[in-house]
Amino acid sequence: ADLPGISARTSVDVNTRPLDRNTLRTQTGRQCLPDAYFAVSDWGDDRAFSVQIDEARAAAYDDRDQTDEVAIATLAKRFLYFGFGQEALHTLALDNVQSQERRYLTAIARLMEGDRVQANDFEGQISCDAPVALWAMLALDGGPSDAVIERNAILIAFKALPGPVRDVVAPRLAQAFVQVGDIDASRQILARLQSSASNLSDAALAESAFAEAVDDNAGAIDALETVLDDSARATPDLLREYFEIGIREGRNFTDEEFALADALRFEVAGSPDALALTVAQLRAQIAVGQFSPARALLDQVAPILE
């Protein structure tokens, strides 16, 4: 106080903060979900994946080949520790036991897989000063938040995740922060993202969304092109985004890129991703004057377009 500078104080009396984290509340007064439900970093250790999974799988069945409820949950948690959401879902389906903890293990697994969860699973939880806020942020899926976002809790929880899980959730978490206008939080998350082969497309989409948010459209295109150069790793969502940004930037799309779009549309035929990519491809073909191919494509898909 006797030196020049800036001092800061909180208006919250630290002595009134709850000592028991189980009493933490959302901004609307609902109880925050227990930290134990989301303690992913505690569900495994530094040993090899095969050793830990074999150990947990062996404990899941007794001598009569009957499943053990607690051991099944442990095996599912072990899969989640390594970022395998689909395998965790299969494990939880072995005995179909229903509990609140199982409900959120299932939600974590689905969010790792990029799937949606029920809207009320995380109602208000994004305002909790607890690890649940991270999963509530992922559950937004581009929609509006129903509460004030506890960004520091989300960033702390993210940094505490095991490496494989960070790589799985980072791209969508970074995009979620871009969508709510928190560019700095998105930057922090992307800085910790290690682009493995499995998530390269998602990582490129996150980098592109960040670049767009800071008005760097050239950087947005460059991030997507990095993956497009290796077409085996491209996804329909990535190519759709590439077409949409490229149209705005006056890009001269190539026949190879349109051929890749045809292949990806075939792979996911009948899905919403296929329809979104079709519309983007049509617009891209029109933008570069490829009217005959666009007309032919339009004739193919007209029955399913609005």
Side-chain angles (χ1 to χ4, degrees):
D2 33 21
L3 295 174
I6 298 174
S7 63
R9 297 179 179 83
T10 175
S11 61
V12 177
D13 184 347
V14 294
N15 294 316
T16 66
R17 290 183 176 178
L19 296 177
D20 181 1
R21 291 189 62 82
N22 290 327
T23 65
L24 287 176
R25 302 278 176 179
T26 69
Q27 68 178 49
T28 57
R30 295 167 63 96
Q31 185 167 318
C32 293
L33 290 164
D35 289 0
Y37 287 5
F38 307 95
V40 183
S41 60
D42 296 337
W43 297 344
D45 53 48
D46 294 334
R47 291 176 297 160
F49 169 79
S50 58
V51 172
Q52 296 190 61
I53 294 299
D54 288 346
E55 176 187 80
R57 186 179 283 121
Y61 295 90
D62 61 23
D63 295 337
R64 295 174 297 172
D65 208 30
Q66 300 295 311
T67 58
D68 178 271
E69 176 182 337
V70 174
I72 288 293
T74 299
L75 178 57
K77 289 177 180 178
R78 198 65 55 85
F79 276 121
L80 292 175
Y81 176 85
F82 288 99
F84 291 102
Q86 195 62 51
E87 288 75 5
L89 290 172
H90 289 320
T91 301
L92 293 171
L94 291 174
D95 60 7
N96 287 316
V97 170
Q98 303 298 317
S99 69
Q100 188 181 55
E101 181 184 27
R102 291 283 192 103
R103 175 183 176 184
Y104 286 99
L105 286 177
T106 300
I108 290 172
R110 287 178 175 161
L111 289 169
M112 282 188 183
E113 290 298 307
D115 298 334
R116 292 186 177 185
V117 297
Q118 295 184 19
N120 61 350
D121 278 352
F122 292 97
E123 184 178 352
Q125 297 290 317
I126 204 167
S127 67
C128 289
D129 184 12
V132 64
L134 181 151
W135 302 98
M137 185 73 170
L138 289 172
L140 282 180
D141 195 33
S145 171
D146 56 358
V148 174
I149 296 171
E150 184 56 58
R151 69 167 333 244
N152 287 339
I154 295 171
L155 292 173
I156 290 170
F158 170 75
K159 292 170 185 177
L161 289 173
V165 183
R166 277 203 308 271
D167 283 351
V168 168
V169 304
R172 283 177 289 118
L173 189 60
Q175 287 180 286
F177 271 119
V178 166
Q179 288 164 352
V180 299
D182 194 335
I183 305 303
D184 179 65
S186 179
R187 180 184 289 110
Q188 291 186 51
I189 291 165
L190 290 175
R192 286 179 171 259
L193 176 60
Q194 298 177 3
S195 298
S196 60
S198 61
N199 72 357
L200 196 58
S201 186
D202 286 343
L205 280 167
E207 294 278 4
S208 178
F210 176 83
E212 274 199 287
V214 295
D215 295 324
D216 180 11
N217 288 332
I221 283 281
D222 289 344
L224 300 175
E225 276 192 318
T226 300
V227 178
L228 286 177
D229 289 341
D230 181 1
S231 59
R233 296 177 177 179
T235 62
D237 200 30
L238 183 139
L239 190 53
R240 173 197 54 75
E241 185 75 7
Y242 175 76
F243 282 148
E244 291 178 355
I245 299 175
I247 290 168
R248 295 197 297 271
E249 290 296 294
R251 197 139 188 107
N252 186 24
F253 303 112
T254 66
D255 291 338
E256 289 78 10
E257 289 164 351
F258 290 131
L260 176 59
D262 291 336
L264 291 175
R265 287 190 297 104
F266 179 78
E267 287 181 11
V268 296
S271 71
D273 284 343
L275 182 59
L277 178 54
T278 299
V279 173
Q281 182 180 348
L282 279 166
R283 290 174 173 160
Q285 287 176 322
I286 293 168
V288 296
Q290 290 199 12
F291 302 118
S292 294
R295 179 78 252 180
L297 177 57
L298 182 58
D299 288 341
Q300 290 178 34
V301 300
I304 60 172
L305 290 180
E306 296 178 356

